[in-house]
Amino acid sequence: MEPPAADAVRAYAAKTRENAGQLAAVLEDIATNGLPSVEERTPCEELRRCTRTVVHVPLVLLLGC
C-alpha cells in the first residue's frame, strides 16, 4: 500500500475509534441513568439535521425516532 493510502486508512481508523468511544460513553450513561424524560430529550428532527450521523444514528434508533 502506498504511504498516502496507508495514512488515509490510519486516519479513518482513528476517527472510527473516536466515534465508537463517544457512542460507548453515551450508552454507558443511559445504562447508568436511564433515558431522559420526554421533556429533556432532543427532538428527533433536530437529531436528523445533525451532521455527525455516525454517532447520532444509533441514538435516533435508540430513542425511537
Side-chain angles (χ1 to χ4, degrees), residues 22-36:
Q22 291 172 352
L23 177 58
V26 169
L27 295 175
E28 288 171 1
D29 184 64
I30 291 170
T32 300
N33 302 307
L35 289 171

Side-chain angles (χ1 to χ4, degrees), residues 35-42:
L35 289 171
S37 68
V38 173
E39 295 80 21
E40 295 174 329
R41 293 183 191 173
T42 302

Side-chain angles (χ1 to χ4, degrees), residues 8-28:
V9 170
R10 286 186 193 96
Y12 180 76
K15 184 64 176 169
T16 302
R17 198 174 299 112
E18 177 186 338
N19 289 340
Q22 291 172 352
L23 177 58
V26 169
L27 295 175
E28 288 171 1

